[in-house]
Amino acid sequence: NAGVTQTPKFRILKIGQSMTLQCTQDMNHNYMYWYRQDPGMGLKLIYYSVGAGITDKGEVPNGYNVSRSTTEDFPLRLELAAPSQTSVYFCASTALAEAFFGQGTRLTVV
Amino acid sequence: SQKIEQNSEALNIQEGKTATLTCNYTNYSPAYLQWYRQDPGRGPVFLLLIRENEKEKRKERLKVTFDTTLKQSLFHITASQPADSATYLCAPTSGTYKYIFGTGTRLKVLA
């Protein structure tokens, strides 16, 4: 019973590099989310999706891209990484109300 | 724009007392409001959900109230224990399923 799985758990990127954070859920949830959480701060919504093929911007979408080709997967793409993108990234999914979160990806951009 | 406010200062209480955390929101009318617990280095975990037509919800030592007139929810932990120490996040949610969270309140229960 995996729930929401994020990979990798940790990553160090150099400025200008790109990468994809992976998120997959096995609960057949329609709704999926990406958040970032800076140290001592709350969760900020980056992008969300209400179903396969449908995505929308959250509070802080700049510098990120997403796609949702299947119900299970919701990858987050960082293009041209910047130090300001150093953060912990959480993926979440929900069917109706209660959201389930992954364990997070700690990203450092140097 | 939508705004959610939680007390950003940490709340320290003595073991056995009741902890009360506040969540205020402005510029939208949520259909329901959720509370989550987050431990350091981990993702948030769902605790309780209360709908707009409910005044109060209970689960074991937890109690949530929802006042749509005041645009406020209160989250209570009775008979608090050191294991309750964590950050608690609220998420007032409208029907669009765009989940926005408050900044959270850090609770520390002193033994």
Side-chain angles (χ1 to χ4, degrees):
Chain A
N1 195 6
V4 179
T5 302
Q6 291 182 234
T7 56
K9 287 187 172 58
F10 303 93
R11 182 73 184 268
I12 298 175
L13 274 183
K14 292 186 178 179
I15 295 171
Q17 287 185 323
S18 60
M19 76 164 293
T20 299
L21 282 66
Q22 301 292 344
C23 175
T24 187
Q25 52 95 5
D26 62 0
M27 297 172 281
N28 201 33
H29 288 167
N30 283 329
Y31 303 91
M32 296 188 73
Y33 307 83
W34 274 108
Y35 297 90
R36 60 175 287 172
Q37 186 172 38
D38 298 331
M41 305 295 285
L43 297 167
K44 289 293 186 183
L45 180 63
I46 305 171
Y47 270 95
Y48 67 108
S49 169
V50 300
I54 306 170
T55 62
D56 207 348
K57 295 178 180 179
E59 302 170 279
V60 289
N62 291 344
Y64 307 94
N65 280 299
V66 293
S67 60
R68 183 95 182 271
S69 56
T70 67
T71 298
E72 294 78 22
D73 300 307
F74 190 39
L76 178 71
R77 179 84 176 161
L78 278 73
E79 305 281 2
L80 298 175
S84 60
Q85 293 178 305
T86 293
S87 191
V88 180
Y89 292 82
F90 288 102
C91 178
S93 74
T94 184
L96 188 65
E98 173 185 356
F100 296 83
F101 283 79
Q103 72 273 44
T105 295
R106 187 175 297 273
L107 176 68
T108 303
V109 182
V110 296
Chain B
S1 61
Q2 297 173 349
K3 191 174 180 182
I4 305 166
E5 290 183 341
Q6 294 186 255
N7 193 341
S8 58
E9 292 184 15
L11 176 64
N12 294 332
I13 64 165
Q14 208 64 38
E15 182 177 8
K17 300 293 185 182
T18 296
T20 298
L21 286 65
T22 304
C23 175
N24 295 298
Y25 58 90
T26 54
N27 296 330
Y28 67 124
S29 298
Y32 53 91
L33 190 145
Q34 304 179 68
W35 284 90
Y36 289 76
R37 169 184 173 139
Q38 186 175 26
D39 292 293
R42 303 182 73 92
V45 174
F46 172 80
L47 295 174
L48 275 171
L49 179 151
I50 185 166
R51 301 189 184 280
E52 61 179 336
N53 60 350
E54 298 174 314
K55 296 294 183 187
E56 181 180 298
K57 201 89 171 268
R58 291 175 185 262
K59 179 181 176 183
E60 297 173 352
R61 294 184 296 111
L62 308 180
K63 185 179 86 171
V64 172
T65 62
F66 191 11
D67 190 325
T68 55
T69 301
L70 291 178
K71 295 187 182 293
Q72 180 181 80
S73 175
L74 299 178
F75 177 81
H76 307 273
I77 306 175
T78 59
S80 59
Q81 305 165 0
D84 295 326
S85 298
T87 296
Y88 291 86
L89 308 167
C90 73
T93 308
S94 66
T96 63
Y97 291 99
K98 186 176 177 180
Y99 281 24
I100 305 292
F101 286 81
T103 53
T105 298
R106 192 167 67 251
L107 172 68
K108 186 170 183 179
V109 181
L110 306 170

